[in-house]
Amino acid sequence: MAGLIGARIKRKEDPRLITGNGHFTDDIKLPGMLHAAFLRSPYAHARIKRIDVSEALKLPGVTAVFTGADIAKKMKAVPAMWFVTGSDLKPKPRSPLAVDKVLYAGEAVAVAVAEDRYTARDALDLIVVEYEELPAVVGQEAAMQEGAPLLHEDVPNNLALVWKAGEIPDEVFEQAEVVVRQRLYNQRVIPNPMETRGAVAQYNPGSGEMTIWCTTQNPHIHRMVYSEVLGIPESKLRIIAPDVGGGFGAKIATYTEEAVVGCVARELKRPVKWAEERSEHFKATTHARDEVIEIELAGTRDGIMTALRVKNTANLGAYLSTFGAGCPTIDFGLMVTGAYTIPQAAVVTYGVYTNTTPTDAYRGAGKPEATFQIERAVDLFAREIGMDPVEVRRKNMVQKEAFPYSNPMGCVYDSGDYHLTLDKALKMIGYEELRQEQEELRKQGRYIGIGVSTYVELCGFGPSKVAGAIGFQGGVWENSTVRVHPSGKVNVYTGTSPHGQGTETSFSQVVAEKLGIPMEDVEIIHGDTQSISMGWGTYGSRTTAVGGAAVAIATDRVIEKAKKIAAHELEVAEEDLEFSAGVFQVAGVPGQARTFQEMAKSANFAWNLPEGMEPSLEAQSFFDPSNFVYPFGAHICVVEVDGNTGQVELKRYVAVDDVGRVINPMLAEGQVHGGIAQGVGQALWEGAVYGENGQLLSGTFMDYTMPKARFFPTIETAFTETPSPVNPLGAKGIGETGTTAAPPAVANAVMDALRPFGVKDLDMPLTPEKVWKAMRNGGVANDTECI
Ligand code: MCN
């Protein structure tokens, strides 16, 4: 059907989800199913001296209890997947469950299995563990100090990795007209999707086959890793991601619990389910960010930025998680110069082990941190030279004519018109008038702030040879099969694994438009390693740019074959056929035509195919992109800070994003809204807080403030469309734009509002208490030290 790509179409997955017909991991019930619960360490750092499970085993309904030592004999530990090249990474081997030592509060030490969930939970209270508590270290800078408690005895100074890119001699900064230096803290956040994690495993002792249903964003990666860990060949291991209630990156990681559930199901020869509790989720699902970023930005008095040097000290948590090493290094470091033509850049990242929950990707992964530091740096620089921050951006942004543009870290930005998005956003917000209003209101003792963030981010993750070069233990291409049934109805198989994005709708739009059939005739199949041969899942905003491209190419191949059959039946040359709105028409000869559905039947019946052609109408594509895609845009927000309470109110938020060709503006806007809500959440409210002994003090929704709808004005969105040349859809990713652009937009706005108080910088989250203190203390209220 024509006009589907680019149309505002409601999500086809919603009727099922909003009528309670979604099918999530915890909805799975299998005959004879047992339930697992994990005992977790109350200490952040302790030696396990003794575990006694005898009382737990006596509890009626308890089937088994396995300690870390028991499990270690039956499976391997889950490894990380990104061994960043050139970083001297020390990925420490770990046991699936802790055996001798625990390294963070919440680390699992034993698993109880029982006839029902509550008995399994009760059994945990009867397990006796004798711990010897050891001194813990939670901050990454403290962990690097001499004499700090060591997590892994053979990792001196807890230093897991050192990654460097670029070098700038000191003279560049010594001789620069202006140098701005700032220490920024990108605090630790907890992703908190609505559905917590979970897994159900079923083992067939006869065939040796295992199925694991789990809350994953990338079932094929889980299959690859759990196959190795459990010693079950990939050909006998099936991973299914049923409906997944949000992930935001936290469900990329391959976790120990899911694999342990498989291990105990095999051991007990009965299906086993584990459903994570919210309090477990706070402690045991990966956190993100937690990076201390020190910047030095050099430039000229007339507003040209000339060199940027960045040091990132990143908290990796107690162990290296799946993509944990890649986020503060490659994902962060390659994008530090943002949307600007800063000719020289250098980055060094220290990745540090601490007695905290491991950190990993979260909607953005490295790019929000990169954007935060450069966007804050631009504002600090503008303030230093007394220039409007918009003017500094205009002067330094990559010009439209410069694309493809190579940044100093070696990334080639595919396409862009950065000034266009900025101009549009300024117009939408009414920048000039706002500045005047701000002045007026200041005279009345009201503190309005305007914050700008012009971002570019790296998405799509390709080609695979680059993934290899940067130490990623996998590919980043994507797979799609388009299968046409005799009726002309279509199944599309994709290796991406959506978990809230609406991909069933957007991919259906692409296929239906190309084939000229109704969207209802297209079913998108995802999340099952048995029906989809291979794929690399959903993260890094790759679904549309990489997965969607594979879908488009496979669909084109189907059309190509159908055309050959039509030409054969109509006895004309293929070149004489035009394909439009689902009909192969002989050019200029009305009535001489075949419909797509007729060709589906012909291909499948195979009564009269061209010589040598195989039956059926099905095509596959394995698309490995030639480059990443680089969405960009300009976000501007207006805040008002209450001079008496320090409360920050978000008054307006304008987002102009360019993600190349937009497949479905309604879904794209939804992604922008969701991302901005999370980004504003990080700027103003969210933050994981640990006590000195490594206890997570913000371990419930009472202590960890998630963004709420009532805190937001209507978000004003718009798109410009600069197609990407690296995929046939011309599309770039959109899912991470909001979390990338919003934190600096909000922080810049709050600092702008606090200008009369001499406040230059405050750590996120910009809580009323912190802002209030800063207003009274001449700008000092940071708390980076008590991470
Ligand atoms: N889209 C579009 N046109 C484009 C690009 C995208 O219309 N040019 C629309 C499509 O509907 C697509 C959606 O936006 O389904 C997101 O597509 P894309 O940006 O390609 O990103 P991903 O699906 O790879 O997800 C990106 C990002 C990531 S990395 C996570 S994790 C994530 C997310 O965005 N988790 C989410 N969005 C989420 N949204 C929800 N509701 N829940 C999550 O857990």
Side-chain angles (χ1 to χ4, degrees):
M1 299 264 288
L4 288 175
I5 297 181
R8 304 177 74 86
I9 293 172
K10 285 189 180 172
R11 288 164 33 124
K12 63 193 277 194
E13 36 285 81
D14 281 353
R16 121 174 151 253
L17 293 172
I18 62 176
T19 54
N21 288 306
H23 197 59
F24 297 86
T25 300
D26 198 20
D27 292 325
I28 293 164
K29 293 184 180 68
L30 300 174
M33 188 169 77
L34 297 167
H35 296 262
F38 288 90
L39 181 68
R40 299 184 181 279
S41 166
Y43 297 109
H45 197 188
R47 227 173 273 293
I48 301 172
K49 301 191 77 176
R50 184 176 71 92
I51 303 191
D52 182 352
V53 301
S54 54
E55 286 304 311
L57 282 170
K58 286 183 202 154
L59 185 71
V62 170
T63 317
V65 180
F66 299 93
T67 64
D70 300 330
I71 293 289
K73 290 179 203 139
K74 302 176 198 304
M75 64 178 275
K76 291 190 210 158
V78 175
M81 276 193 67
W82 196 345
F83 303 121
V84 177
T85 308
S87 68
D88 191 22
L89 181 68
K90 297 174 186 69
K92 293 318 296 172
R94 61 184 288 191
S95 308
L97 304 181
V99 177
D100 299 320
K101 249 176 108 177
V102 286
L103 296 184
Y104 65 97
E107 183 172 1
V109 296
V111 56
V113 188
E115 293 293 336
D116 65 80
R117 174 178 296 189
Y118 307 101
T119 307
R121 181 67 187 74
D122 285 349
L124 301 185
D125 296 338
L126 300 173
I127 301 173
V128 179
V129 187
E130 203 181 306
Y131 293 99
E132 178 195 337
E133 193 179 359
L134 300 169
V137 60
V138 298
Q140 55 269 52
E141 291 177 308
M144 289 168 76
Q145 302 296 320
E146 283 308 319
L150 276 191
L151 275 83
H152 307 276
E153 272 81 13
D154 51 347
V155 181
N157 303 103
N158 297 307
L159 194 55
L161 66 88
V162 182
W163 180 83
K164 287 185 183 161
E167 211 161 333
I168 308 177
D170 289 340
E171 300 85 77
V172 171
F173 292 91
E174 284 157 15
Q175 289 159 15
E177 280 179 28
V178 186
V179 179
V180 172
R181 293 190 171 84
Q182 186 63 47
R183 175 190 163 90
L184 300 161
Y185 179 49
N186 215 293
Q187 85 273 32
R188 182 179 278 250
V189 290
I190 303 178
N192 266 317
M194 277 215 271
E195 182 204 26
T196 52
R197 284 187 299 129
V200 177
Q202 184 172 38
Y203 181 66
N204 181 336
S207 63
E209 288 169 329
M210 180 177 288
T211 302
I212 302 178
W213 291 261
C214 63
T215 50
T216 167
Q217 298 179 211
N218 26 248
H220 292 86
I221 291 185
H222 279 57
R223 182 179 65 175
M224 187 174 81
V225 172
Y226 295 162
S227 154
E228 172 67 21
V229 161
L230 294 170
I232 298 173
E234 276 174 288
S235 48
K236 285 183 189 271
L237 180 59
R238 178 179 183 189
I239 304 284
I240 300 176
D243 281 322
V244 176
F248 308 120
K251 291 174 182 167
I252 298 171
T254 46
Y255 288 93
T256 207
E257 292 95 339
E258 283 92 325
V260 167
V261 169
C263 174
V264 298
R266 175 171 59 185
E267 202 58 28
L268 301 172
K269 300 188 177 56
R270 284 176 66 180
V272 177
K273 179 195 278 189
W274 166 67
E276 186 186 52
E277 294 171 15
R278 182 60 68 179
S279 56
E280 273 186 297
H281 179 84
F282 268 97
K283 287 180 290 206
T285 294
T286 52
H287 296 174
R289 323 264 200 262
D290 200 345
E291 296 171 24
V292 177
I293 298 166
E294 291 158 84
I295 54 145
E296 289 173 281
L297 175 65
T300 62
R301 288 249 153 243
D302 59 358
I304 303 299
M305 298 187 283
T306 52
L308 175 70
R309 198 154 62 178
V310 183
K311 176 179 159 196
N312 182 354
T313 310
N315 195 332
L316 301 178
Y319 301 99
L320 196 62
S321 180
T322 309
F323 287 6
C327 301
T329 53
I330 306 280
D331 279 353
F332 168 81
L334 299 187
M335 293 305 292
V336 288
T337 53
Y340 313 104
T341 53
I342 303 172
Q344 295 192 77
V347 183
V348 56
T349 296
Y350 299 96
V352 187
Y353 289 128
T354 65
N355 294 112
T356 60
T357 300
T359 54
D360 206 315
Y362 163 56
R363 208 168 182 179
K367 296 161 293 182
E369 298 92 300
T371 304
F372 187 75
Q373 59 82 38
I374 185 64
E375 289 307 299
R376 286 289 300 121
V378 170
D379 264 41
L380 289 163
F381 176 64
R383 188 159 167 161
E384 184 66 29
I385 59 172
M387 192 176 275
D388 187 310
V390 167
E391 196 48 33
V392 174
R393 286 179 169 82
R394 269 198 221 286
K395 282 184 175 230
N396 290 274
M397 282 192 308
V398 180
Q399 296 287 339
K400 179 177 159 189
E401 300 70 34
F403 291 95
Y405 167 79
S406 295
N407 81 2
M409 312 316 269
C411 289
V412 182
Y413 298 176
D414 56 343
S415 62
D417 188 343
Y418 298 171
H419 292 82
L420 181 67
T421 50
L422 177 60
D423 289 344
K424 191 164 180 148
L426 291 169
K427 194 161 171 214
M428 280 170 73
I429 203 113
Y431 189 71
E432 298 303 331
E433 302 79 45
L434 258 178
R435 282 281 176 219
Q436 284 166 17
E437 194 186 330
Q438 180 183 37
E439 278 308 309
E440 289 304 312
L441 290 173
R442 264 183 196 161
K443 287 179 203 149
Q444 300 168 25
R446 287 180 58 189
Y447 306 104
I448 302 291
I450 307 161
V452 179
S453 163
T454 41
Y455 74 94
V456 53
E457 55 152 341
L458 159 160
C459 295
F461 281 69
S464 297
K465 65 177 177 204
V466 171
I470 59 179
F472 178 63
Q473 302 302 300
V476 286
W477 48 269
E478 207 38 81
N479 165 27
S480 178
T481 298
V482 174
R483 179 170 300 159
V484 186
H485 300 287
S487 57
K489 309 282 190 227
V490 180
N491 279 136
V492 177
Y493 298 82
T494 172
T496 63
S497 196
H499 42 276
Q501 292 89 334
T503 309
E504 289 171 34
T505 307
S506 52
F507 281 8
S508 296
Q509 288 175 251
V510 170
V511 175
E513 162 140 354
K514 281 186 171 284
L515 297 179
I517 61 176
M519 265 182 71
E520 300 72 54
D521 286 2
V522 183
E523 284 303 320
I524 308 295
I525 316 284
H526 56 82
D528 183 350
T529 59
Q530 185 140 303
S531 50
I532 302 139
S533 56
M534 189 54 201
W536 294 98
T538 288
Y539 46 82
S541 297
R542 67 190 301 274
T543 298
T544 312
V546 190
V551 167
I553 294 167
T555 309
D556 286 341
R557 288 181 183 156
V558 160
I559 296 169
E560 240 173 75
K561 181 168 179 182
K563 192 176 195 184
K564 284 190 173 31
I565 302 171
H568 176 71
E569 286 188 8
L570 293 163
E571 297 179 350
V572 294
E574 270 181 68
E575 303 75 65
D576 296 335
L577 283 182
E578 286 164 357
F579 183 58
S580 163
V583 177
F584 296 96
Q585 170 74 51
V586 180
V589 189
Q592 282 282 73
R594 288 286 186 275
T595 64
F596 174 74
Q597 288 80 0
E598 286 168 339
M599 293 307 88
K601 189 171 176 185
S602 296
N604 279 290
F605 283 20
W607 289 344
N608 176 24
L609 293 180
E611 193 59 37
M613 179 182 277
E614 291 183 353
S616 113
L617 192 52
E618 173 168 328
Q620 191 164 17
S621 163
F622 299 94
F623 177 69
D624 199 356
S626 57
N627 189 4
F628 297 83
V629 287
Y630 293 85
F632 60 91
H635 287 206
I636 306 180
C637 84
V638 183
V639 300
E640 179 163 5
V641 175
D642 187 315
N644 294 316
T645 64
Q647 184 82 34
V648 177
E649 187 194 345
L650 197 63
K651 310 268 305 174
R652 281 185 72 192
Y653 197 105
V654 164
V656 179
D657 297 287
D658 193 318
V659 296
R661 193 170 177 205
V662 176
I663 308 299
N664 182 329
M666 188 189 284
L667 298 190
E669 278 167 16
Q671 287 296 308
V672 172
H673 284 201
I676 290 171
Q678 289 174 314
V680 174
Q682 174 168 16
L684 295 182
W685 308 296
E686 295 183 51
V689 179
Y690 278 98
E692 271 175 23
N693 57 356
Q695 294 299 321
L696 181 63
L697 303 178
S698 56
T700 73
F701 283 134
M702 292 300 287
D703 319 291
Y704 186 93
T705 317
M706 296 295 281
K708 295 175 184 65
R710 69 187 157 84
F711 297 164
F712 289 85
T714 299
I715 294 168
E716 301 158 64
T717 57
F719 295 99
T720 61
E721 291 199 21
T722 313
S724 170
V726 309
N727 66 66
L729 289 174
K732 305 184 185 188
I734 195 164
E736 298 163 293
T737 55
T739 39
T740 300
V746 175
N748 284 343
V750 175
M751 294 317 128
D752 186 48
L754 295 179
R755 202 181 254 257
F757 298 91
V759 182
K760 276 193 178 167
D761 185 64
L762 291 175
D763 289 342
M764 298 185 292
L766 299 163
T767 56
E769 184 193 1
K770 203 181 288 174
V771 172
W772 185 85
K773 277 186 186 159
M775 286 193 291
R776 270 140 196 85
N777 299 349
V780 189
N782 276 344
D783 60 2
T784 316
E785 296 312 324
C786 45
I787 295 162

